[in-house]
Amino acid sequence: MRSNVLRTTCGGLRCLSRRPIAHNAYQSYSCRSFISTPSCREERKWSTPLAKQLTEAISTTGPIPLASYMRMCLTSDTGGYYTGALEEGRDQFGRKGDFVTSPEISQIFGELVGIWFVAEWMSQGRPKEGVQLIEVGPGRGTLMDDMLRTMRNFKDMASSIETVYLVEASKELRTMQKNLLCGEDAVMTESETGWHSTSKYAGIPVVWTDSIGAVPRGDSKTPFIVAHEFFDALPIHAFQVVEAPPRATQQPRTTATTTNSSSRTSATEGSSPANTLQWREMVVSPTPPGTTHADLGTPRALQHEDVAVPEFQLTLGPSSTRHAEYLPESSARYRALKGTPGALIEVCPDAWLYASDFASRIGSSSSASGAALILDYGPADAVPANSLRGVRRHRRVGPFAAPGQVDLSADVDFGAVAEAATRASADVECHGPVDQAFFLEAMGIRQRAEMLARSLGADDGKKRELERSWKRLVDRGPDGMGKVYKALAILPFNGGQRRPVGFGGDVSA
């Protein structure tokens, strides 16, 4: 007997049309080794304005944390990757950009994410109003467009949506999202809270904010939050366990006391630490002028004629920093690795903040409601290490080359996300992470693909392209998207009585 979720999927999607599928999409996954060479402040010609600004900052402050480097590269006002560094006529996404995401590969992805939220809406009593649809890092807007197109077929769900909120810092991407979701002729107005327009789907209001904190909260709200390939772009700190020189041992102190006309001496133990292992932060500094790929040990796969030799490098901090003293000690998962000399970890404080925000919204009211769905890549339970990657024009490149013109990302620590969510609110629980292949197959990706194939009639070419695209999303090969990508859900606490669809559960109508 077919499950409720498959009936819901096929019923709700039966009247949906097919949208064009991206061709020749390519996504690269890689790890890289940390490099340690001396820094240099010598004046020289830099590849980008941001590279010069970074060098000037480092010459003043000294080497900077990896998180600071990533934040500058991605969102700096001086040519950040998402804030205006790319040349005119080119964006970050699609065949003409640097990478392709799942919604761009197949419309089915966004449709099934939309169905997942419809199923959660049903399972949580079908609230008639107050539903907030929130996406952080919406890219071109393709995912939200497919979600709204799907949800309009569920009339009661669609009418319950109060507002769509898109958390987006890039002016260029906000315009792109507005054109897709509202139409190129739609007006976008600005207020103290953000930017406003109206969706082409049922006239639902759309509001853009540059931070999640600007999205309203309230006991009457039901927040449905989606984060697709968002957490991987959040800045990370990197740490390594090193053998630290022991502190100087104090000489025993003697104290004379008299007992029965005799004296004795008592010694106070010295303060020599029992453990000489400590965390050190990996920091970013410029490479010396004239540095070559051979000097840096750059893998041949990362060397390209049109990409300069990396202008920056990771070096081991010479002493402990405030980040090294706090961040690796913030979780038992990290502390467990401190006894392993040379151990490397990556820690993302921003991921904790976002996960905590999601959880506090879902679990804030007397009757917790809402859900968050996080889809990204990373290990299911291990702490990430050496995962920073750079991608440009669908090729792996060094993450320290051409700052502002290379996409930077790192594996998501799903264990840390779940830990942050459950710490933030006792009224939520986490499900997953599960492989993307498991999630999409449970949501009915094969059945939806068969429906679309039938609508294509005798066009065998389009049918083959359709099959390639959806099977790519569930590819379980070593580097396949179905295995590398994971799904994690944050839901109101129910004591394990209900598992969500896509995570081993079914629709509770």
Side-chain angles (χ1 to χ4, degrees), residues 238-247 273-282 316-326 328-329 334-335 337-345:
F239 302 96
Q240 184 173 15
V241 177
V242 301
E243 293 275 358
R247 299 173 184 174
N275 193 344
T276 62
L277 296 176
Q278 70 172 221
W279 292 104
R280 290 281 179 83
E281 185 164 15
M282 306 297 292
L316 185 65
S319 60
S320 183
T321 64
R322 59 188 178 89
H323 294 128
E325 292 175 357
Y326 170 69
E329 302 295 332
Y334 307 146
R335 293 194 295 271
L337 297 172
K338 190 174 183 179
T340 305
L344 290 162
I345 63 170

Side-chain angles (χ1 to χ4, degrees), residues 272-388:
S272 176
N275 193 344
T276 62
L277 296 176
Q278 70 172 221
W279 292 104
R280 290 281 179 83
E281 185 164 15
M282 306 297 292
V283 292
V284 178
S285 61
T287 55
T291 298
T292 66
H293 284 302
D295 296 331
L296 297 174
T298 307
R300 188 172 297 276
L302 300 184
Q303 300 180 26
H304 304 285
E305 292 183 358
D306 59 338
V307 180
V309 173
E311 297 165 294
F312 296 87
Q313 62 190 336
L314 271 183
T315 61
L316 185 65
S319 60
S320 183
T321 64
R322 59 188 178 89
H323 294 128
E325 292 175 357
Y326 170 69
L327 292 178
E329 302 295 332
S330 62
S331 170
R333 297 170 65 245
Y334 307 146
R335 293 194 295 271
L337 297 172
K338 190 174 183 179
T340 305
L344 290 162
I345 63 170
E346 293 167 353
V347 182
C348 183
D350 283 12
W352 299 351
L353 295 175
Y354 277 98
S356 298
D357 182 280
F358 296 173
S360 63
R361 289 174 185 274
I362 295 166
S364 63
S365 64
S366 55
S367 56
S369 64
L373 181 63
I374 299 168
L375 299 129
D376 226 310
Y377 50 83
D381 49 20
V383 178
N386 274 358
S387 74
L388 181 67

Side-chain angles (χ1 to χ4, degrees), residues 13 27 36 94 104 125 127 166 172 174 186 198 209 223 237 334 338 376 379 401 449 456 472 486-487:
L13 297 177
Q27 177 71 41
S36 180
E104 306 286 344
L166 301 177
E172 292 79 10
R174 286 196 297 267
T198 304
T209 68
H237 291 264
Y334 307 146
K338 190 174 183 179
D376 226 310
L456 294 175
R472 180 182 174 191
K486 308 287 190 300

Side-chain angles (χ1 to χ4, degrees), residues 18 20-26 94-96 100 104-105 394 461-462 465-466 468-469 472:
R18 177 181 174 274
I21 297 173
H23 296 270
N24 300 326
Y26 177 77
R95 284 184 295 164
K96 295 181 179 180
V100 174
E104 306 286 344
I105 293 172
H394 304 279
K462 289 184 177 179
E465 183 62 31
L466 171 66
R468 281 194 296 268
S469 65
R472 180 182 174 191

